[in-house]
Amino acid sequence: MAQVPKTCKVILADSIGKNMLVEVQESRDAFRKEHGIERKLCLAAFLANDDPHAVKYAEWSQKTSQENGIDFQLHRVDKDDLEEKIMAANVDNGVDGIIVYYPVFPGNLERDRYIQETVALDKDVEGMCHRHLQNMYHNIRFLDPPTNQLKSILPCTPLAVVKILEHLHIYNTIIPYGNRLYGKTITVINRSEVNGRPLAALLANDGATVYSVDLTGTQVFTRGDGIRQLRHQVLDKDADFGLKQCLPLSDVVIGGVPSEAFKVPTELLRDGAVCVNFSSFRNFDGPAVKEKASIYVPSVGKVTVAMLLRNLVRLSANRMATGGKLE
Amino acid sequence: MAQVPKTCKVILADSIGKNMLVEVQESRDAFRKEHGIERKLCLAAFLANDDPHAVKYAEWSQKTSQENGIDFQLHRVDKDDLEEKIMAANVDNGVDGIIVYYPVFPGNLERDRYIQETVALDKDVEGMCHRHLQNMYHNIRFLDPPTNQLKSILPCTPLAVVKILEHLHIYNTIIPYGNRLYGKTITVINRSEVNGRPLAALLANDGATVYSVDLTGTQVFTRGDGIRQLRHQVLDKDADFGLKQCLPLSDVVIGGVPSEAFKVPTELLRDGAVCVNFSSFRNFDGPAVKEKASIYVPSVGKVTVAMLLRNLVRLSANRMATGGKLE
């Protein structure tokens, strides 16, 4: 008698991230060779808080950068010196990319937003400058249309989730590029400006119907009937349309709630749903979800770090293409 | 400004079938070489009616067989001589496979069933002998467990649809073999014993939730909660659960209604559904479905014929493996 195969395939970000780091190394080596660059690419990182998740992310990105031949300069700075330090790094030709660990000013999202905008567009590895964000929301992939040589940068965690969904074959490569999520229904739980909202927009721009859920309510992001629009539109759902309504409809459920207490209600998941958690906390009840999901990705951090280095290589290529220098 | 990509990708069975015929040729050539077989493989075909679809299928299979180096012997016979002719072919070592074009006795399914059972198990290219059907329904892939050298034969049209869904990446290869449709909801419209019911069973055995709809009502085929069972179970739905209820839930909609008049109601399809028609008639309204589906496959016949030849090669390999002769 054949064995019943396990219901759920658990996929660790580590294994996906490793392959992506190999691709990053290859594109970096090709780029350095093409331009005769001798020195390592340099990522300047600014840590101005003691948030344990930020510290962990900083340590991970430092370790991964070093393992992959990137010069990672971690600066522990005072909040009040941060803007000056970033401005100096902006004009330092020895710095190729800048990352800041947030929150810098906990509870004051506008001040953090100000800091994000301080980073020069051509060194913004996080894709958090307004122009990068605007391009992402408008489904525009280049900074220099119609030449289209300079790629716009996408924020690391949403991009990591996209790359994971590609790896999981949720993106259907039979369908033309740009529409590969058409027919998929996806719930994203969290609508923060840094993660949940950009992610919902990216997925809807690729053709999905995306339910974006947070404490303030549910919105649906789509490219309209028959995905005829070039970019997503957002519609508010009624106040009584929440997880109970979205989850049974969803092929993919993505958790990003920054809270120990929150758990996705497993009983609402569709049999065979694909579940991905990008929160630092576990948004899914592991043992229960494995009895119901077809694929479960418990964390994405390792892929996020790979995307950070990918963005660094892209920015360096953009700067060389526009006559910039790497000294 | 970028062009909006087309909503729907139309995929013709011809292009899929061609690749599959190349695979069939390769496995046949490897098989002939291994066993030092000089002559062509021979398929004996019996046409005992004037049904235009049967005649067309016979002509297609003859043409494709000849193009692919198969000796296709088409016998036009009287209904009343058919059983004797089949029995003679069963014991003729020069015949490797037998196909009969149905209906032989229109309106008398039991007599056709009797004819199907007359074909020897080891020459049944259509997978319609009881043992082949039973293995298919029970999700058993070999005729000789536990040795598992002799592959059981699957009926050509349902197998063609499975192969098409694999080609379309509806089968997710990230998920373990045997579970690759887990999480997918599929409606199959038609529950005939030769096509619709075997197809629903195959898809459910691979992990899908399958709504099987015909004029008598709707059934749901699944491997149970968390697909813990080895094979599918069938449950009747309430009398008021029909296309109106299934279609909006379905990732994939498969039409197999043998009628000019029937059309799948496009307005009930989910945005981005995958639509496949295996009927000889067009079950979808082409222009309308292209405005709503992500992928549309208007017919499967060319793949069905490829599966016929694939089964012929498998049967020949099975016979050699059990000490049979090809004279």
Side-chain angles (χ1 to χ4, degrees):
Chain A
M1 194 58 130
Q3 194 93 33
V4 184
K6 275 186 191 163
T7 296
C8 184
K9 173 111 171 175
V10 178
I11 297 194
L12 301 179
D14 208 14
S15 63
I16 308 175
K18 272 181 187 153
N19 289 334
M20 291 176 181
L21 284 171
V22 171
E23 286 173 30
V24 168
Q25 285 174 21
E26 287 169 357
S27 66
R28 178 206 54 204
D29 291 346
F31 162 73
R32 289 177 66 188
K33 195 174 170 194
E34 182 187 347
H35 295 283
I37 296 162
E38 304 272 319
R39 71 162 173 82
K40 289 181 180 179
L41 296 186
C42 171
L43 183 55
F46 295 95
L47 184 60
N49 66 40
D50 298 320
D51 180 273
H53 295 302
V55 171
K56 190 177 169 194
Y57 182 33
E59 286 168 354
W60 263 9
S61 34
Q62 180 167 40
K63 182 167 175 287
T64 308
S65 296
Q66 288 168 348
E67 286 169 0
N68 288 277
I70 303 286
D71 179 16
F72 185 94
Q73 299 181 349
L74 182 58
H75 307 279
R76 290 178 180 265
V77 298
D78 190 89
K79 295 176 199 307
D80 298 321
D81 297 335
L82 182 58
E83 184 179 3
E84 296 293 327
K85 300 277 188 191
I86 292 172
M87 288 170 73
N90 281 343
V91 294
D92 180 349
N93 277 334
V95 169
D96 303 303
I98 297 170
I99 177 169
V100 180
Y101 297 98
Y102 296 95
V104 173
F105 299 98
N108 193 334
L109 292 170
E110 282 164 302
R111 282 196 75 182
D112 277 4
R113 193 73 205 88
Y114 176 89
I115 295 291
Q116 282 167 354
E117 210 53 43
T118 303
V119 175
L121 185 69
D122 65 351
K123 297 193 178 177
D124 173 27
V125 282
E126 295 179 278
M128 281 292 153
C129 285
H130 178 77
R131 182 76 188 287
H132 287 146
L133 285 173
Q134 187 176 48
N135 276 359
M136 181 202 61
Y137 283 117
H138 287 256
N139 206 12
I140 295 170
R141 290 159 201 248
F142 292 91
L143 290 163
D144 59 339
T147 312
N148 292 350
Q149 278 199 322
L150 308 181
K151 287 194 174 156
S152 201
I153 297 296
L154 296 172
C156 300
T157 297
L159 178 59
V161 175
V162 164
K163 290 287 166 188
I164 286 168
L165 295 184
E166 285 181 355
H167 177 84
L168 301 181
H169 299 194
I170 308 305
Y171 278 72
N172 188 341
T173 55
I174 291 287
I175 298 174
Y177 179 77
N179 285 353
R180 290 181 171 166
L181 289 180
Y182 188 39
K184 299 293 192 297
T185 302
I186 303 179
T187 293
V188 178
I189 313 172
N190 167 303
R191 196 162 58 242
S192 69
E193 293 303 314
V194 286
N195 288 325
R197 199 159 87 89
L199 177 58
L202 281 172
L203 300 175
N205 282 345
D206 285 337
T209 296
V210 183
Y211 294 110
S212 166
V213 183
D214 77 359
L215 291 173
T216 68
T218 301
Q219 295 182 328
V220 59
F221 291 51
T222 73
R223 273 179 33 215
D225 285 345
I227 54 167
R228 287 190 192 79
Q229 297 169 29
L230 274 178
R231 55 165 291 213
H232 71 283
Q233 62 191 13
V234 180
L235 292 171
D236 287 319
K237 300 295 288 184
D238 290 340
D240 57 0
F241 192 98
L243 290 179
K244 198 168 175 183
Q245 286 69 38
C246 316
L247 292 183
L249 301 172
S250 293
D251 305 294
V252 180
V253 176
I254 302 171
V257 180
S259 149
E260 182 71 56
F262 175 79
K263 297 288 172 199
V264 175
T266 309
E267 70 280 7
L268 294 178
L269 293 174
R270 181 173 159 168
D271 242 36
V274 171
C275 297
V276 178
N277 176 53
F278 72 76
S279 169
S280 310
F281 300 94
R282 297 267 160 144
N283 282 187
F284 295 91
D285 172 1
V289 86
K290 287 178 201 169
E291 297 296 311
K292 199 147 187 196
S294 58
I295 304 177
Y296 172 44
V297 182
S299 71
V300 311
K302 299 287 175 75
V303 180
T304 301
V305 175
M307 293 304 101
L308 183 68
L309 302 189
R310 183 175 187 266
N311 283 349
L312 177 69
V313 175
R314 292 209 157 177
L315 285 173
S316 306
N318 281 357
R319 280 169 65 228
M320 290 304 284
T322 50
K325 283 188 217 165
L326 278 73
E327 283 167 5
Chain B
M1 196 56 134
Q3 192 92 34
V4 184
K6 275 188 190 161
T7 295
C8 184
K9 172 108 172 179
V10 178
I11 297 194
L12 301 179
D14 208 13
S15 63
I16 308 176
K18 270 181 189 155
N19 289 334
M20 289 177 183
L21 284 170
V22 171
E23 286 174 30
V24 169
Q25 285 173 22
E26 287 169 357
S27 65
R28 179 206 53 202
D29 292 345
F31 162 72
R32 288 177 68 188
K33 194 174 169 193
E34 182 187 347
H35 295 283
I37 295 161
E38 304 272 320
R39 71 162 173 82
K40 290 181 179 177
L41 296 186
C42 172
L43 182 56
F46 295 95
L47 184 60
N49 66 40
D50 298 320
D51 180 273
H53 296 303
V55 171
K56 190 177 168 195
Y57 182 33
E59 287 168 353
W60 264 10
S61 34
Q62 181 166 40
K63 182 168 175 288
T64 308
S65 297
Q66 287 168 349
E67 286 168 1
N68 287 278
I70 302 286
D71 179 15
F72 185 94
Q73 299 182 348
L74 183 59
H75 306 280
R76 289 177 183 267
V77 299
D78 191 88
K79 294 175 199 308
D80 297 321
D81 298 335
L82 182 58
E83 184 179 2
E84 295 294 328
K85 300 278 188 190
I86 293 172
M87 288 170 73
N90 280 343
V91 293
D92 181 348
N93 277 334
V95 170
D96 302 305
I98 297 170
I99 178 170
V100 180
Y101 297 98
Y102 296 96
V104 173
F105 299 98
N108 193 333
L109 292 170
E110 281 164 302
R111 282 196 74 181
D112 277 5
R113 192 73 205 90
Y114 176 90
I115 295 291
Q116 282 167 354
E117 208 54 43
T118 304
V119 175
L121 185 70
D122 65 351
K123 297 193 177 177
D124 173 27
V125 282
E126 296 180 277
M128 279 293 153
C129 285
H130 178 77
R131 181 75 188 287
H132 287 146
L133 286 173
Q134 186 175 50
N135 276 358
M136 182 202 61
Y137 283 117
H138 287 256
N139 206 12
I140 294 171
R141 289 157 202 251
F142 292 91
L143 290 163
D144 60 337
T147 311
N148 292 350
Q149 277 200 322
L150 308 180
K151 286 193 173 157
S152 201
I153 297 295
L154 296 171
C156 300
T157 298
L159 178 59
V161 175
V162 164
K163 290 288 166 186
I164 287 168
L165 295 184
E166 285 181 355
H167 178 83
L168 301 180
H169 299 193
I170 309 306
Y171 278 72
N172 188 340
T173 54
I174 291 287
I175 298 175
Y177 180 77
N179 285 354
R180 289 179 171 168
L181 289 180
Y182 188 38
K184 299 293 191 297
T185 302
I186 303 178
T187 293
V188 178
I189 313 171
N190 166 302
R191 196 163 55 241
S192 69
E193 293 302 314
V194 286
N195 288 325
R197 198 160 87 89
L199 177 57
L202 281 171
L203 300 175
N205 282 346
D206 285 337
T209 296
V210 183
Y211 293 109
S212 166
V213 183
D214 77 359
L215 292 173
T216 69
T218 302
Q219 296 182 328
V220 59
F221 291 51
T222 73
R223 274 180 33 217
D225 285 345
I227 55 167
R228 287 189 192 80
Q229 297 169 30
L230 274 177
R231 54 166 291 211
H232 71 283
Q233 62 191 13
V234 180
L235 292 171
D236 287 320
K237 300 294 290 183
D238 290 340
D240 57 359
F241 192 98
L243 290 179
K244 198 169 176 182
Q245 286 69 38
C246 316
L247 292 184
L249 301 172
S250 293
D251 305 293
V252 180
V253 177
I254 302 171
V257 180
S259 151
E260 183 71 56
F262 175 79
K263 297 287 172 199
V264 174
T266 310
E267 71 279 9
L268 294 179
L269 292 175
R270 180 172 160 170
D271 243 36
V274 171
C275 297
V276 178
N277 176 54
F278 72 77
S279 169
S280 309
F281 299 94
R282 297 267 160 142
N283 282 188
F284 295 91
D285 171 1
V289 85
K290 287 177 201 168
E291 297 296 312
K292 198 148 187 195
S294 59
I295 305 177
Y296 172 43
V297 182
S299 71
V300 311
K302 298 287 175 76
V303 180
T304 301
V305 176
M307 293 304 102
L308 183 67
L309 301 189
R310 183 175 187 265
N311 283 348
L312 178 69
V313 175
R314 291 209 158 176
L315 284 173
S316 306
N318 281 357
R319 280 168 66 228
M320 290 304 285
T322 49
K325 282 188 218 165
L326 279 73
E327 284 168 3

